[in-house]
Amino acid sequence: MRHFLIITFFFFLSTFHSFGERDSIKRLIADTILIKSTITKDTLFLKQIEQTSHDNGGFEWKIWLPTFTALIVLLVTNLVTLYKIRIDTKESIKKEIIISKIKIERERLEKFYDPIFTTLKSNSAIFSSYGPQTFPRDNGVLETEASEVWKQLVQNVIIPNNKKICDTIQQFSHLIDTSDSIDKYLDYSVHSESFEHFINFPNALHKAFKYPTDFVASVETIRTKVLQDLKLTENKLLV
């Protein structure tokens, strides 16, 4: 009986100690981590790092920061892309304008100034070589022959050339350069028609429709300017 009471007493102490130990563990569970070694049967208590939670009104910056960063990067990327597209579009439009201008200037030369200039130069060369101012003044055979040669050239070359120039003026006068004037071309057309009529039916009225002063030199000057403008415009494509 005595031994039974002693055993019971020690059992009670052991149980009480165990409950106290468990109670201590429960009280420290928030601050410690319980680890039992399977080798030494010892119990280790490690201090747990306290984690503080800041209340930002329910908004967690740490959670949303990567999303905001991604959005900002995406926004900047899109802005850079749009800016590049704008620059490329602007350059493309600028290039198209330059190409269009080059086409117009080439057409101005090929269809208007070049045909008129070359034909005028041809007529001028014929007039300088065979015109009335070159006739021998002997009132004889030489003067008569020179006059006949001139008449043939007028009918076969000068008048057809004049018609070509007049046709060019009528068809492509819209290509006249902005620094040029249509007036002298119209004066030339009237002179050419009057000249043809005068050759076929000589009359004094032809004197009223004179050849435009310095017409060839004027056309040559404008033609040179258009050529220079064309070269300058073509050089812009190389910039």
Side-chain angles (χ1 to χ4, degrees), residues 195-227:
F195 179 74
E196 182 180 2
H197 186 74
F198 171 77
I199 294 299
N200 295 324
F201 308 98
N203 61 84
L205 295 176
H206 177 60
K207 294 181 180 180
F209 306 101
K210 296 181 179 180
Y211 185 87
T213 305
D214 297 329
F215 184 55
V216 178
S218 176
V219 172
E220 184 176 11
T221 300
I222 299 299
R223 177 178 176 273
T224 301
K225 175 187 176 298
V226 174
L227 277 171

Side-chain angles (χ1 to χ4, degrees), residues 93-143:
I93 293 174
K94 182 180 178 181
K95 183 177 292 186
E96 288 297 327
I97 292 174
I98 293 174
I99 292 174
S100 298
K101 188 175 180 180
I102 289 175
K103 290 180 179 178
I104 292 173
E105 290 173 349
R106 285 179 178 173
E107 187 178 22
R108 180 173 289 141
L109 282 171
E110 295 171 359
K111 294 184 178 181
F112 190 77
Y113 286 101
D114 282 350
I116 291 178
F117 177 70
T118 55
T119 308
L120 284 174
K121 291 292 286 185
S122 176
N123 282 356
S124 296
I126 293 173
F127 181 78
S128 298
S129 301
Y130 301 99
Q133 76 280 358
T134 66
F135 295 172
R137 304 301 178 185
D138 59 356
N139 295 321
V141 177
L142 292 177
E143 185 176 358

